[in-house]
């Protein structure tokens, strides 16, 4: 069996590794000159459990994130060394409710209680799947004094201590990318952008553009996994677009504190135009923030979808 994986980000690379592990011959395409060079590496590395999504009243996102968080380390340990730098975790994160949060404190408190239940349910009796931690312990609500010792008293109106951590995304990208390149059953083709996929009656023909030339390759199956352009590829294969896609603009900066500095508390601010602080044991600090909440939803199938044009400090055009 031959499978074409379109997109060499973290998702595409993990799919390729899993398929190759099962004996499948994989061809992995990416339009960039290296694997996992975009969102898979440029992120805060947070392995979110379930606490982030207080705006989801049905808790479907919480349940999905809980399953993903518990699956992350066991999956990666199949391919990376036990002492991999990718498993070096940040300081545990606090969840902080900002005064301008879209959810009041009582709503966030209720959400966190149910989200914790989703995590325990997903663990299915194996509470140590999350980096060896016992996740059955519920988040602890900070006292006012604890909150005000870490944050601006006028901005942070509530906070919860959790054991949620982040990993090093650059190390993960580097090591997973190297693992993919060294798998004999994975043929990596870089600087190749998937343009279309068509049913050939029993196989799938994928059109790839490389150096201005279009090339067709046939596969038994193809996986649509690029960072952008997924709608256009779906449409080329006759898959209808039934729901809008959301595209987010997030700013981020990584800094290194001097050894004598006091490291800030790792924290996630919910829920609004805020962001996260991730503090690693080596005093590397990663700051991210969203300048605005939801601005627009689109069903466009343009190949440029996902490449946000920024005009000024906060005006976003899709």
């Amino acid at each position: 069996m031959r499978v074409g994986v379109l997109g060499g980000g973290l998702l595409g690379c993990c799919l390729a590794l899993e398929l190759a592990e099962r004996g499948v011959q994989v061809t992995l395409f990416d339009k960039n000159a290296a694997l996992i060079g975009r969102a898979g590496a440029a992120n805060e590395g947070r392995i979110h459990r379930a606490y982030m999504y207080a705006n989801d009243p049905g808790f479907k996102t919480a349940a999905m994130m809980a399953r993903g968080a518990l699956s992350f380390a066991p999956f990666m340990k199949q391919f990376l060394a036990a002492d991999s730098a990718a498993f070096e975790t940040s300081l545990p994160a606090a969840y902080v409710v900002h005064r301008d949060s879209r959810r009041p404190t009582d709503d966030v408190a209720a959400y966190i209680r149910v989200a914790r239940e989703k995590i325990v349910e997903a663990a299915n009796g194996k509470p140590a799947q999350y980096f060896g931690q016992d996740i059955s312990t519920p988040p602890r609500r900070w006292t006012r004094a604890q909150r005000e010792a870490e944050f601006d008293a006028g901005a942070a109106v509530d906070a919860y201590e959790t054991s949620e951590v982040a990993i090093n995304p650059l190390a993960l990208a580097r090591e997973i990318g190297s693992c993919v390149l060294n798998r004999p059953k994975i043929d990596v083709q870089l600087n190749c952008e998937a343009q279309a996929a068509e049913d050939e009656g029993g196989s799938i023909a994928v059109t790839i553009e490389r150096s201005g030339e279009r090339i067709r390759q046939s596969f038994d199956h193809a996986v649509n996994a690029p960072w952008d352009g997924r709608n256009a590829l779906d449409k080329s294969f006759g898959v209808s677009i039934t729901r809008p896609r959301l595209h987010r603009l997030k700013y981020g900066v990584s800094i290194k504190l001097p050894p004598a500095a006091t490291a800030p508390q790792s924290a996630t601010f919910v829920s609004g135009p805020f962001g996260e602080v991730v503090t690693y044991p080596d005093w590397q600090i990663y700051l991210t923030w969203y300048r605005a909440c939801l601005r627009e939803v689109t069903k466009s199938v343009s190949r440029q979808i996902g490449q946000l044009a920024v005009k000024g400090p906060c005006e976003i055009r899709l």
Side-chain angles (χ1 to χ4, degrees), residues 21 36 48 78 125 136 152 175 182 212 216 227 253 259 265 268 279 284 298:
E21 190 75 1
I36 321 181
H48 285 292
Q78 297 177 84
S136 60
D152 183 332
E175 295 188 29
N182 287 297
R216 284 169 64 94
W227 173 246
V253 61
Q265 168 73 46
T268 295
T279 300
Q284 190 79 20
T298 180

Side-chain angles (χ1 to χ4, degrees), residues 274-317:
F274 313 123
E276 296 185 278
V277 179
V278 181
T279 300
Y280 292 94
D282 62 356
W283 264 215
Q284 190 79 20
I285 312 297
Y286 192 78
L287 308 175
T288 64
W289 66 98
Y290 297 94
R291 184 61 181 81
C293 285
L294 183 67
R295 296 291 296 272
E296 187 173 348
V297 179
T298 180
K299 291 187 178 180
S300 170
V301 295
S302 165
R303 293 202 61 78
Q304 297 302 313
I305 202 68
Q307 297 177 3
L308 300 180
V310 180
K311 185 178 181 181
C314 62
E315 182 182 343
I316 302 171
R317 185 176 68 254

Side-chain angles (χ1 to χ4, degrees), residues 64-77:
M64 179 183 69
M65 296 302 291
R67 293 194 301 271
L70 295 170
S71 300
F72 180 87
F75 177 86
M76 294 300 175
K77 286 178 180 178

Side-chain angles (χ1 to χ4, degrees), residues 53-114:
Y53 302 95
N55 275 324
D56 175 18
F59 295 94
K60 291 183 178 180
T61 304
M64 179 183 69
M65 296 302 291
R67 293 194 301 271
L70 295 170
S71 300
F72 180 87
F75 177 86
M76 294 300 175
K77 286 178 180 178
Q78 297 177 84
F79 307 106
L80 304 182
D83 61 350
S84 166
F87 297 131
E88 295 176 1
T89 58
S90 71
L91 302 186
Y95 270 77
V96 184
V97 184
H98 192 276
R99 68 184 174 212
D100 296 328
S101 173
R102 297 179 66 192
R103 310 303 305 175
T105 55
D106 288 347
D107 284 6
V108 174
Y111 175 84
I112 285 177
R113 284 195 297 271
V114 178

Side-chain angles (χ1 to χ4, degrees), residues 76-315:
M76 294 300 175
K77 286 178 180 178
Q78 297 177 84
F79 307 106
L80 304 182
D83 61 350
S84 166
F87 297 131
E88 295 176 1
T89 58
S90 71
L91 302 186
Y95 270 77
V96 184
V97 184
H98 192 276
R99 68 184 174 212
D100 296 328
S101 173
R102 297 179 66 192
R103 310 303 305 175
T105 55
D106 288 347
D107 284 6
V108 174
Y111 175 84
I112 285 177
R113 284 195 297 271
V114 178
R116 182 253 175 181
E117 294 171 3
K118 298 293 182 185
I119 295 167
V120 173
E121 181 182 315
N124 195 27
K126 299 178 181 178
Q129 288 175 297
Y130 186 81
F131 300 97
Q133 298 181 21
D134 183 354
I135 59 161
S136 60
T137 302
R140 182 181 62 82
R141 199 171 197 169
W142 282 9
T143 66
R144 180 173 181 173
Q146 289 173 317
R147 189 173 71 247
E148 293 181 355
E150 288 286 348
F151 304 105
D152 183 332
V157 296
D158 207 356
Y160 292 83
E161 178 183 294
T162 79
S163 56
E164 187 175 282
V165 294
I167 51 88
N168 185 330
L170 293 175
L172 180 68
R174 181 176 61 250
E175 295 188 29
I176 286 292
S178 176
C179 186
V180 168
L181 290 170
N182 287 297
R183 288 282 175 178
K185 282 193 169 293
I186 304 177
D187 173 27
V188 177
Q189 298 190 24
L190 300 174
N191 299 304
C192 297
E193 184 172 6
Q195 299 290 326
E198 302 169 78
D199 189 344
E200 282 192 324
S203 64
I204 297 175
V206 177
T207 300
I208 302 296
E209 184 175 306
R210 179 169 46 204
S211 303
E213 179 184 5
R214 292 200 165 206
I215 303 167
R216 284 169 64 94
Q217 297 189 39
S218 294
F219 300 95
D220 297 299
H221 301 279
V223 180
N224 186 5
W227 173 246
D228 54 14
R230 287 194 297 273
N231 282 8
L233 283 170
D234 280 348
K235 187 176 181 181
S236 72
F237 193 68
V239 176
S240 60
I241 309 302
T242 59
R243 62 181 182 179
R245 304 289 174 90
L246 304 181
H247 302 270
R248 304 183 299 170
L249 174 66
K250 180 166 69 173
Y251 295 92
V253 61
S254 184
I255 59 176
K256 183 83 169 184
L257 293 182
T262 300
Q265 168 73 46
S266 285
T268 295
F269 295 85
V270 293
S271 164
F274 313 123
E276 296 185 278
V277 179
V278 181
T279 300
Y280 292 94
D282 62 356
W283 264 215
Q284 190 79 20
I285 312 297
Y286 192 78
L287 308 175
T288 64
W289 66 98
Y290 297 94
R291 184 61 181 81
C293 285
L294 183 67
R295 296 291 296 272
E296 187 173 348
V297 179
T298 180
K299 291 187 178 180
S300 170
V301 295
S302 165
R303 293 202 61 78
Q304 297 302 313
I305 202 68
Q307 297 177 3
L308 300 180
V310 180
K311 185 178 181 181
C314 62
E315 182 182 343

